């Protein structure tokens, strides 16, 4: 039978539960297209992916008629991925105004006279796509410029980043410090302490 994914509400991340539970590799992560890949030839209709999806974005159609019906329902679905972020992760997606590609790093980050906090992230990872702890609450006491940067290999190598996402702090082109790895809201206090040490040293 055939698998359908409602990409209007699917966050299309490599951490997809459906990929993790699929016993045959019928669902996989396409690195080049940066998307979940469906291979219906490999599907044995076990239904594990459908059950594993927390937002019910995956369907296993039993026959062609059901496939078409689901396809129509998906077409009519007016929701979008960001509508479900808060329920799913307790987090908001990052506002596009703060997003830059690494080719703007020189201008937007190094070239700034202000204290700049750049969050280097991997756009294949949902943990990196979300602003899990609002920056406003982390930097309430400081005047900063914040940018979220898709981390290319050169940046990662240059600043010796071992884990993404990573916060890198710059002033007048000088790297003041970096904080690597994902922090959820439970680790906010720890993160604030690390930020304070860098910003106030
Ligand atoms: S129904 Fe089973 S085999 Fe088919 S994609 Fe889902 S988990 Fe994989």
């Amino acid at each position: 039978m055939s698998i359908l994914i409602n990409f209007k509400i699917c966050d299309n991340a490599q951490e997809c539960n459906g990929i993790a539970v699929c016993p045959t590799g019928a669902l996989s992560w396409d690195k080049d297209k940066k998307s979940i890949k469906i291979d219906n030839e490999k599907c044995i209709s076990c239904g594990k992916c459908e059950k594993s999806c927390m937002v019910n974005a995956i369907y296993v159609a039993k026959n062609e008629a059901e496939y078409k019906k689901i396809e129509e329902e998906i077409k009519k679905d007016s929701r979008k991925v960001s509508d479900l972020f808060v329920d799913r992760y307790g987090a908001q997606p990052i506002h596009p105004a703060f997003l830059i590609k690494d080719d703007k790093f020189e201008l937007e980050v190094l070239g700034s006279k202000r204290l700049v906090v750049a969050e280097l992230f991997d756009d294949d990872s949902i943990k990196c796509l979300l602003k899990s702890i609002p920056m406003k609450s982390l930097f309430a006491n400081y005047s900063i410029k914040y940018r979220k940067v898709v981390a290319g290999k050169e940046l990662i190598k240059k600043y010796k980043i071992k884990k993404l996402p990573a916060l890198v702090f710059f002033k007048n082109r000088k790297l003041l410090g970096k904080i690597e790895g994902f922090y959820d809201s439970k680790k906010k206090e720890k993160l604030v302490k690390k930020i304070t040490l860098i910003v106030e040293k």
Side-chain angles (χ1 to χ4, degrees):
M1 293 305 120
S2 299
I3 301 299
L4 292 102
I5 298 180
N6 182 355
F7 283 106
K8 288 181 175 171
I9 56 166
C10 167
D11 49 28
N12 202 8
Q14 59 185 338
E15 292 95 343
C16 165
N17 287 346
I19 295 176
V21 299
C22 179
T24 65
L27 287 182
S28 61
W29 180 247
D30 186 326
K31 274 189 195 158
D32 297 327
K33 290 186 181 150
K34 298 190 170 178
S35 178
I36 298 169
K37 189 170 148 193
I38 302 171
D39 183 347
N40 280 314
E41 297 288 311
K42 291 185 182 168
C43 179
I44 53 169
S45 302
C46 67
K48 287 186 180 174
C49 56
E50 199 175 45
K51 284 188 201 132
S52 75
C53 180
M54 58 210 285
V55 293
N56 302 320
I58 307 178
Y59 301 86
V60 186
K62 292 186 197 72
N63 49 47
E64 214 181 315
E66 195 176 65
Y67 186 93
K68 286 196 173 139
K69 193 173 164 241
I70 296 166
E71 209 176 27
E72 279 309 306
E73 279 171 18
I74 292 174
K75 270 187 206 159
K76 284 184 210 146
D77 193 343
S78 60
R79 293 173 296 171
K80 48 188 192 303
V81 175
S82 56
D83 289 342
L84 302 177
F85 275 171
V86 176
D87 291 339
R88 220 184 220 160
Y89 306 107
Q92 293 286 354
I94 187 73
H95 194 286
F98 295 102
L99 275 178
I100 58 167
K101 295 225 168 108
D102 59 358
D103 59 352
K104 292 274 184 295
F105 195 81
E106 169 69 33
L107 179 75
E108 291 264 349
V109 178
L110 299 180
S112 174
K113 291 196 169 64
R114 293 174 63 193
L115 170 64
V116 187
V117 180
E119 185 179 355
L120 307 182
F121 78 106
D122 172 5
D123 62 355
D124 286 350
S125 170
I126 195 66
K127 281 188 172 178
C128 291
L129 288 172
L130 300 169
K131 199 166 101 175
S132 300
I133 307 174
M135 285 292 145
K136 262 189 194 168
S137 70
L138 289 177
F139 294 97
N141 300 325
Y142 308 106
S143 166
I144 62 145
K145 175 180 174 181
Y146 167 71
R147 289 292 178 267
K148 191 153 172 131
V149 188
V150 181
K153 281 181 194 157
E154 270 180 38
L155 278 184
I156 291 174
K157 196 175 162 196
K158 186 170 179 186
Y159 296 108
K160 298 186 176 77
I161 303 295
K162 293 188 189 83
K163 259 189 205 172
L164 291 174
L167 291 177
V168 285
F169 298 71
F170 286 91
K171 193 161 187 188
N172 296 326
R173 308 188 75 85
K174 191 179 165 219
L175 177 67
L176 304 179
K178 57 186 178 182
I179 302 171
E180 296 173 68
F182 182 75
Y183 287 76
D184 62 19
S185 51
K186 286 179 221 134
K187 293 190 209 153
K188 184 180 166 185
E189 216 175 295
K190 197 174 166 191
L191 182 57
V192 169
K193 273 186 195 158
K194 287 191 172 191
I195 289 171
T196 307
L197 280 175
I198 293 172
V199 174
E200 295 186 3
K201 79 178 172 189

